[in-house]
Amino acid sequence: MTQPILEVRDLSRHFGGLVAVDKLNFSVQLGTIHGLIGPNGAGKTTTFNVISGFYAPTSGQVIYKGDDVSGMKTSALADIGLIRTFQGTTLFKEFTVIDNVRVGCHHMAKASFFSRITGLDRHIESAATAKAEETLEFFALSEFKDELAANLPHGHQRALGMAVALAADPQIILLDEPFTGMNPEETRHMMKLAHDVRDHGVTVMLVEHDMQAIMGLCERITVMNFGALLTEGTPDEVRSNPAVIEAYLGSAGDAA
Amino acid sequence: MPNRKTNLSSWALGTALVAGLIVLPHLLSFSQREIAVLLIINVLLVASYRLMTLTGEWSLGHVVIMGVGAYASALFSKSLGVPVPLSMLLGAGTAAGLAAILSFPLFRMKGFYFLIGSFAAGEVIRLIWKYFTNPFGGAKGLKLIPSFPDINLGFADISFFEPENYYYLCLVVVGLSLFILYRIEASRIGLTFHAIHWQDKLAEAVSVDTFRYRTLAFVLASFFAGLSGTLYAHYIGTVNPTRFDVEEMVYVLIWAIVGGTATFCGPILGVVVLTIINEIILRALGLDTVRPMIYGGILIASVLFLPDGLESLGPKLKRLFAGKRPSGQLEETT
């Protein structure tokens, strides 16, 4: 196996006495769609927040492309290509759709303060706008470009959230529950988008509750329970693993 | 060609405004000219305050920062003999530098906590001025601050003791500053400030260093607030800690809120309208001693009846006129 793009080693995160993530180990291979699942409260979102720099790990390491990045700031991680999205519709709702994506282009549109004031940054900004338009095209959102993000239908807002993340030049994109609150039609569309993003050369990792979506989408799945690793494997392996079924549905003994 | 038309009319409006500002001192009495100078200085103060609020943080230390510029420029020119134009730049730079240092403790806080933190930081600075007689002059402050040097153009001596000439100096400095402030806001820097205001987590996730940008907003706003302080110090010739106390800060807040903070012009509109009300109407009625009460009343009235500030009046009137035309009415109902 080649070097994984993302690796988590003995990762723990405590909140006071609560152990949210407990010595977790897994790795994500380059160019795959990798799922992280588990029952409610298993520590999936905390794991995401630690990987993306929102929390520092209590112990253990996050390795990105061979380098230890644990405890780095979110913006610094984003600079080197590790981008996350958020649960629900976290957007710049007061901005137009195109401005949302233009903010996403922050990384590629660096310019000096002087050139900003004098307007010498024009070529950088037009490149950023062109890229934003291209990204909107990719997500079939071009027609809403001058609409306020808040006025978009729910499904489009979710797609826009992914567009903002994709504009930031990710090498791996972490999707936090991308299918929550979606109807089957929207879920299918979102699954297609996740595939398209992967085919774009971006590794995709996602946390999700929707079992059907995750089984159809992911190549590898990591299952967590009570903050620790339960099992890892292909969708078929995970589906038939009795420990997973027990974690989700409870054992026969509990039911009695 | 509606686009060219609006372009043309905005050019015409701009030219008229500049022409009006140039002839203005000739239409005013001596004391009114002095008020006009202070008004222009306050325009810069409140415009710089708006830049700070773009990131969503409201500070209560902005007037103290203005005072830092005033004190620093006064000391540079008076005690160290630095030429006044240079000392003004150094004074503004000192205010910016102090803001950069204050960012480290202050931007660990957000929202209400930041507000209180900035107030506390400002009071500490003010108490330092009061406590250390050397070099800050204690509670009495600094006096006999060197004024802006005369300029000899060969055919004419321009003395900046004349409020009229100082008015033009302020007009140039503030005009240039407003241009820079406007360009900052119109550029990607402004977009990023807004983005941090609405969703700092998302901004951070797409590689915006939110701490750095908050600091940038604070430092830039402080530079221009400091600059307005230096304009003040070399005009009045004296500064003291009471001039920069929280009461003055409340006026800045009232100007910004009454004017509205959604657009660049809002706070400027607020300070201009309220100063005119204060200096012309209240003074004529002999009511200028009850200024705080009247200001309070105006604030309450504007929050109740014009929550988006004076700046929202323009579009509202436009809609009203458009609504009266039958075609406009049709559009409104569909």
Side-chain angles (χ1 to χ4, degrees):
Chain A
M1 252 199 251
T2 53
Q3 185 194 41
I5 183 164
L6 184 73
E7 203 183 340
V8 164
R9 286 187 198 152
D10 286 330
L11 190 78
S12 298
R13 170 71 206 193
H14 303 176
F15 294 103
L18 179 80
V19 182
V21 180
D22 187 18
K23 296 200 186 68
L24 185 67
N25 282 287
F26 69 85
S27 58
V28 179
Q29 298 300 321
L30 190 71
T32 56
I33 300 182
H34 193 113
L36 180 64
I37 62 171
N40 279 330
K44 308 177 299 283
T45 297
T46 306
T47 306
F48 245 47
N49 282 337
V50 173
I51 293 174
S52 60
F54 273 69
Y55 303 140
T58 306
S59 65
Q61 291 164 316
V62 179
I63 313 285
Y64 171 68
K65 292 205 290 187
D67 297 321
D68 185 357
V69 296
S70 7
M72 264 169 75
K73 274 202 334 191
T74 307
S75 56
L77 289 169
D79 262 336
I80 54 174
L82 194 152
I83 311 276
R84 68 164 294 170
T85 66
F86 293 86
Q87 284 181 16
T89 52
T90 302
L91 290 168
F92 306 111
K93 294 209 172 142
E94 295 78 2
F95 285 4
T96 58
V97 167
I98 185 96
D99 275 351
N100 268 275
V101 187
R102 279 182 60 222
V103 175
C105 296
H106 183 84
H107 173 64
M108 66 159 292
K110 290 209 153 62
S112 73
F113 182 70
F114 180 75
S115 66
R116 294 272 188 237
I117 306 301
T118 51
L120 289 174
D121 64 341
R122 204 167 297 144
H123 63 284
I124 298 172
E125 280 310 306
S126 53
T129 308
K131 182 173 180 180
E133 276 168 357
E134 201 180 294
T135 310
L136 284 181
E137 189 126 359
F138 184 81
F139 285 97
L141 290 168
S142 294
E143 54 178 311
F144 305 110
K145 158 178 139 158
D146 296 317
E147 201 78 44
L148 282 186
N151 297 342
L152 288 188
H154 181 251
H156 287 321
Q157 286 193 13
R158 304 291 286 271
L160 180 58
M162 246 162 104
V164 173
L166 195 67
D169 290 326
Q171 297 188 21
I172 180 167
I173 191 166
L174 309 179
L175 304 175
D176 196 355
E177 306 200 357
F179 307 120
T180 315
M182 283 189 159
N183 64 35
E185 173 65 31
E186 287 169 332
T187 303
R188 251 195 315 280
H189 181 62
M190 205 66 179
M191 280 172 72
K192 184 186 160 296
L193 288 179
H195 260 293
D196 289 347
V197 167
R198 197 272 305 269
D199 296 342
H200 216 62
V202 180
T203 308
V204 177
M205 183 179 173
L206 56 119
V207 160
E208 189 44 64
H209 280 298
D210 188 329
M211 278 304 208
Q212 215 174 348
I214 216 161
M215 292 294 173
L217 187 61
C218 298
E219 283 133 7
R220 281 200 81 75
I221 294 175
T222 301
V223 189
M224 282 178 81
N225 198 18
F226 299 118
L229 182 72
L230 191 64
T231 183
E232 193 184 313
T234 62
D236 282 335
E237 287 166 3
V238 167
R239 209 192 316 251
S240 53
N241 188 321
V244 175
I245 297 166
E246 190 185 320
Y248 267 89
L249 300 175
S251 67
D254 287 343
Chain B
M1 284 278 183
N3 217 346
R4 186 172 291 172
K5 218 172 171 181
T6 47
N7 235 339
L8 210 69
S9 66
S10 68
W11 267 107
L13 201 73
T15 317
L17 189 71
V18 170
L21 285 170
I22 288 172
V23 289
L24 183 68
H26 300 283
L27 307 173
L28 299 174
S29 70
F30 186 83
S31 67
Q32 282 172 337
R33 281 179 206 164
E34 294 214 305
I35 292 162
V37 171
L38 294 178
L39 171 59
I40 291 187
I41 293 172
N42 284 337
V43 164
L44 180 56
L45 179 65
V46 78
S48 67
Y49 190 61
R50 173 176 149 73
L51 186 78
M52 169 93 215
T53 62
L54 287 186
T55 59
E57 302 302 347
W58 288 61
S59 150
L60 280 181
H62 205 64
V63 168
V64 176
I65 293 288
M66 174 194 186
V68 170
Y71 266 88
S73 181
L75 286 173
F76 277 127
S77 60
K78 195 182 170 192
S79 308
L80 301 176
V82 178
V84 169
L86 184 62
S87 82
M88 285 170 74
L89 277 180
L90 287 174
T94 308
L98 188 67
I101 297 167
L102 284 177
S103 313
F104 286 96
L106 287 183
F107 287 124
R108 299 176 73 89
M109 299 175 272
K110 271 202 248 174
F112 181 69
Y113 299 96
F114 177 84
L115 193 78
I116 297 302
S118 65
F119 173 66
E123 285 305 293
V124 168
I125 295 170
R126 252 166 38 77
L127 288 176
I128 289 174
W129 292 337
K130 261 192 179 158
Y131 187 77
F132 292 99
T133 317
N134 183 28
F136 300 115
K140 286 193 202 128
L142 296 170
K143 293 200 172 75
L144 299 172
I145 300 167
S147 59
F148 202 85
D150 296 358
I151 295 177
N152 194 335
L153 287 177
F155 59 92
D157 254 332
I158 300 176
S159 158
F160 288 102
F161 261 134
E162 293 291 324
E164 189 186 327
N165 291 336
Y166 205 79
Y167 171 88
Y168 289 124
L169 174 73
C170 288
L171 207 58
V172 171
V173 173
V174 173
L176 197 66
S177 305
L178 289 184
F179 174 74
I180 295 174
L181 285 169
Y182 180 77
R183 289 290 309 182
I184 292 171
E185 197 185 327
S187 75
R188 174 173 285 273
I189 300 176
L191 181 74
T192 311
F193 286 164
H194 279 294
I196 292 170
H197 179 185
W198 298 119
Q199 272 297 345
D200 56 346
K201 276 188 178 165
L202 180 57
E204 183 83 26
V206 291
S207 87
V208 174
D209 189 336
T210 49
F211 174 77
R212 248 190 75 210
Y213 270 87
R214 283 200 170 105
T215 303
L216 181 68
F218 189 29
V219 167
L220 288 172
S222 299
F223 179 87
F224 289 106
L227 192 62
S228 76
T230 68
L231 285 171
Y232 175 85
H234 294 287
Y235 179 62
I236 302 290
T238 154
V239 290
N240 61 64
T242 323
R243 167 61 184 83
F244 304 108
D245 67 4
V246 76
E247 193 186 323
E248 292 296 324
M249 187 64 226
V250 171
Y251 286 128
V252 174
L253 288 176
I254 293 176
W255 294 329
I257 292 167
V258 171
T261 50
T263 65
F264 186 76
C265 295
I268 299 175
L269 201 63
V271 65
V272 171
V273 169
L274 284 181
T275 305
I276 291 173
I277 290 178
N278 181 47
E279 298 296 343
I280 298 178
I281 302 173
L282 294 188
R283 199 158 290 223
L285 296 174
L287 288 174
D288 45 344
T289 47
V290 289
R291 177 166 107 130
M293 199 181 83
I294 307 253
Y295 263 44
I298 291 174
L299 178 66
I300 292 169
S302 85
V303 168
L304 285 179
F305 303 113
L306 209 58
D308 297 326
L310 291 170
E311 65 188 6
S312 65
L313 219 52
K316 252 185 201 163
L317 288 177
K318 217 179 255 174
R319 237 174 300 143
L320 206 67
F321 282 119
K324 278 197 177 143
R325 283 206 305 267
S327 63
Q329 238 163 14
L330 261 175
E331 273 166 23
E332 291 265 311
T333 48
T334 48

